Amino acid sequence: MDVWRVIGRYNNVLVLSKKNSVLVLEINGKIPKVGESVRVWYNRILTGKELKAKLLAHFDEELAFKIFKTPGLLGFLYEISSGFEKKYIHFLKMFVKHVVPKRFLEITEEKKRILKEFLPKALETRGIAFSRKFSLREFFRFVDENFSRKTTPEVDDKTLKRAISMRKAIFSSEDHDVYQLDLPSKKGIVRGRYILIPFKGKTILIMFKKEDLPFVSFCVKKDLDLSFLKSFLKGNVTVEKRKSSWSLVWRGREVIEFDLPDKEIIPKPERISDQSVMDAVFLINDLLDESVRFLSLPSFGVSEIWWEKSSSRAILVVNTSHFGKVVADVFLEEKNLSVRFYAERNLEELSLHAVELKKDLESIGLFAQLFFSRKDPMIWEGFNAYG
């Protein structure tokens, strides 16, 4: 059992100090006054009365020294973290670790206001759910921009030209001609000026007169008819990413599945973040030591990136729907890369990607070590450390 001195109180939040450490607790009951001494034991505070307590944060000697040395910093931390809520603690500890006291003391109230407005946007917002629904033309442009072009030996241009040389088009317009061929094809193909669609034992060939399409193969999941073909030519279909596959949807049904790599390719947003967030990022960096830089990209779900220049270390905190908060502690020394991952939930599922990720990293010349930890870096030392 240890004796701590009360150095701050904010509503039901109590700040204690002992041996150059700072403990932040939330308690139910009568809050001791600043300057009083209390005893702490597990989840209890003992004054003249036993009070239940909840650990919010602990600042070790290094961080506590900054707090003692910088008037107003403790109150500022309370204000920008909605009373030391858990989701802010990682940011607070990194901020206190790298803040330059002199710079903080010179910050204006207007800049403090901007920072208070910034944190909820940066640390609480999940990544935008990017649209995975395209028109047919948009989908072809998307493939062209994000996937490398390939060629296929299955059907070459000469074979296609011979196949349609003596045939009459069954549909024709200023944009395309449509032929029905006896040419067998197990898979559909999009390439250049042509689309081949397996169709009731035959093959439908669409020849575009003005477009050059990227290569992509596909399989037909449902029997198709002429009404589908007319909808297809008019663009009355959509392409959607459903789970791990890209499907062409017609009348609510998945009728075609495209063969594309199972990779989540994120379209480039027009703006990586709204301007108020970026203003705050620059303000935060103005307060930090030059050896570390901070970045936040809420539109990607990346709430925190801390880059420690001297040690080639980066810490990324990402908000996801499936895994919750994910933290990656990355350390690079020459070609040796070490990454420690923590996921708020579904850690085992996340670790299944380790082999593939390691191969990708080694393919670019890095010797990678990946670790997956159940220890939540957002939860710091508990009461047991003080009993």
Side-chain angles (χ1 to χ4, degrees):
M1 189 177 296
D2 293 320
V3 177
W4 294 73
R5 186 170 61 88
V6 179
I7 62 171
R9 51 183 288 189
Y10 307 92
N11 298 320
N12 63 335
V13 173
L14 195 66
V15 183
L16 310 175
S17 170
K18 177 182 70 69
K19 294 180 181 178
N20 296 325
S21 290
V22 170
L23 196 63
V24 183
L25 307 175
E26 179 184 293
I27 67 173
N28 295 316
K30 186 179 179 181
I31 296 179
K33 296 178 181 179
V34 174
E36 290 184 356
S37 294
V38 298
R39 295 182 181 275
V40 176
W41 180 253
Y42 290 94
N43 60 339
R44 296 286 189 275
I45 291 181
L46 303 179
T47 53
K49 180 181 178 182
E50 183 178 290
L51 302 171
K52 288 185 178 180
K54 175 185 176 184
L55 176 68
L56 299 181
H58 168 247
F59 297 92
D60 59 21
E61 184 173 350
E62 177 192 355
L63 302 184
F65 178 74
K66 285 273 191 76
I67 293 174
F68 295 141
K69 185 181 177 181
T70 314
L73 179 57
L74 187 61
F76 178 70
L77 298 179
Y78 175 82
E79 290 179 349
I80 64 175
S81 64
S82 300
F84 294 99
E85 288 188 17
K86 175 190 168 184
K87 57 194 168 192
Y88 296 95
I89 298 304
H90 184 265
F91 172 84
L92 295 185
K93 298 195 79 161
M94 293 295 286
F95 178 76
V96 174
K97 179 180 179 180
H98 297 292
V99 70
V100 177
K102 183 180 178 182
R103 294 182 182 179
F104 175 80
L105 294 174
E106 294 173 350
I107 191 172
T108 65
E109 289 301 318
E110 174 62 17
K111 290 180 179 179
K112 286 182 180 179
R113 182 191 62 77
I114 292 173
L115 293 177
K116 291 173 189 175
E117 293 176 354
F118 150 76
L119 278 171
K121 295 180 182 179
L123 304 189
E124 299 175 30
T125 305
R126 298 187 187 279
I128 293 171
F130 288 107
S131 173
R132 287 292 186 276
K133 185 174 182 179
F134 301 89
S135 71
L136 195 60
R137 294 294 185 273
E138 288 172 340
F139 175 69
F140 289 146
R141 282 196 294 270
F142 173 73
V143 172
D144 197 30
E145 292 172 0
N146 292 283
F147 294 87
S148 59
R149 284 178 174 267
K150 299 177 182 178
T151 57
T152 174
E154 292 183 44
V155 184
D156 59 30
D157 288 354
K158 291 182 179 179
T159 302
L160 294 176
K161 288 177 180 177
R162 282 199 302 269
I164 64 176
S165 60
M166 301 298 291
R167 289 182 178 271
K168 184 178 180 181
I170 58 175
F171 294 117
S172 186
S173 74
E174 61 180 27
D175 297 321
H176 54 256
D177 291 326
V178 181
Y179 300 87
Q180 183 171 303
L181 308 179
D182 295 327
L183 190 69
S185 178
K186 293 181 179 180
K187 279 203 167 187
I189 298 171
V190 179
R191 191 192 66 192
R193 297 170 59 197
Y194 303 99
I195 297 180
L196 278 80
I197 306 175
F199 194 83
K200 293 185 176 181
K202 297 182 181 292
T203 297
I204 292 293
L205 182 146
I206 305 171
M207 186 180 75
F208 291 91
K209 300 175 181 179
K210 302 175 183 178
E211 294 188 66
D212 183 25
L213 304 175
F215 169 80
V216 58
S217 60
F218 59 88
C219 62
V220 176
K221 300 175 67 175
K222 302 283 184 181
D223 287 336
L224 304 176
D225 54 28
L226 288 177
S227 61
F228 162 77
L229 187 59
K230 291 177 180 178
S231 294
F232 184 87
L233 292 171
K234 291 179 180 178
N236 295 333
V237 294
T238 59
V239 179
E240 301 178 23
K241 179 71 182 291
R242 297 194 173 182
K243 294 183 179 179
S244 60
S245 63
W246 296 88
S247 299
L248 186 141
V249 179
W250 173 59
R251 294 180 179 175
R253 295 184 300 155
E254 298 178 28
V255 296
I256 283 176
E257 185 173 305
F258 292 96
D259 298 325
L260 289 175
D262 180 19
K263 291 185 178 179
E264 281 290 337
I265 296 180
I266 301 177
K268 297 176 182 177
E270 293 181 4
R271 301 177 67 184
I272 62 173
S273 187
D274 68 56
Q275 197 55 48
S276 63
V277 169
M278 297 314 295
D279 287 346
V281 167
F282 289 119
L283 289 178
I284 287 174
N285 279 295
D286 284 343
L287 300 176
L288 302 178
D289 185 272
E290 295 298 334
S291 65
V292 67
R293 297 290 86 186
F294 170 79
L295 183 61
S296 182
L297 300 171
S299 60
F300 287 109
V302 181
S303 57
E304 300 173 61
I305 304 176
W306 298 88
W307 175 33
E308 297 182 6
K309 299 179 183 178
S310 58
S311 62
S312 297
R313 183 188 185 197
I315 299 174
L316 287 79
V317 183
V318 182
N319 298 318
T320 70
S321 296
H322 188 65
F323 299 104
K325 190 178 292 290
V326 177
V327 181
D329 190 347
V330 183
F331 181 78
L332 178 64
E333 185 176 12
E334 294 181 347
K335 291 189 175 183
N336 297 307
L337 177 69
S338 171
V339 186
R340 293 186 179 276
F341 289 98
Y342 163 80
E344 197 169 12
R345 53 183 178 270
N346 299 319
L347 180 67
E348 294 84 357
E349 188 176 337
L350 183 66
S351 66
L352 294 177
H353 295 278
V355 174
E356 179 187 358
L357 179 57
K358 188 173 181 179
K359 285 182 180 178
D360 288 342
L361 293 169
E362 290 177 347
S363 69
I364 59 175
L366 296 174
F367 301 100
Q369 288 185 303
L370 307 179
F371 306 92
F372 294 82
S373 173
R374 295 183 183 279
K375 183 178 179 182
D376 185 349
M378 302 299 159
I379 299 177
W380 305 93
E381 299 94 332
F383 283 118
N384 291 1
Y386 311 102

